[in-house]
Amino acid sequence: MIKIVLASHGRMAMGVYDTLQMFCADLKHVTYICGYVDDTPIESQIEQYFAKIPKEDEVLVFTDLLGGSVN
């Protein structure tokens, strides 16, 4: 299965996810990671997400800034 991750600085990824909800009925395969909004390091958030993904699944990751710290 293909999964999609939206990752950003701040809450931009959550905003994109909310916008997608207006156009797509089923977003079970989409998740978002908002970096630097609390004391949780972005690396920990990413590691926790990928620890739950089966090895046979593919993941597309969309980020807000090419070469930025979220990447």
Side-chain angles (χ1 to χ4, degrees):
M1 175 182 280
I2 296 176
K3 302 202 184 285
I4 297 173
V5 177
L6 308 169
S8 69
H9 297 81
R11 301 193 192 285
M12 180 182 163
M14 183 176 14
V16 172
Y17 180 87
D18 286 342
T19 302
L20 283 172
Q21 286 182 315
M22 289 188 270
F23 300 102
C24 303
D26 181 14
L27 293 177
K28 289 185 283 190
H29 63 287
V30 179
T31 193
Y32 59 87
I33 297 174
C34 297
Y36 309 105
V37 295
D38 58 21
D39 293 332
T40 307
I42 188 77
E43 295 86 2
S44 296
Q45 294 176 20
I46 293 167
E47 288 172 5
Q48 289 173 10
Y49 172 76
F50 278 97
K52 299 174 190 173
I53 302 299
K55 298 224 184 279
E56 62 274 2
D57 284 1
E58 295 181 61
V59 180
L60 298 174
V61 180
F62 295 91
T63 61
D64 62 343
L65 191 62
L66 181 63
S69 57
V70 173
N71 287 300

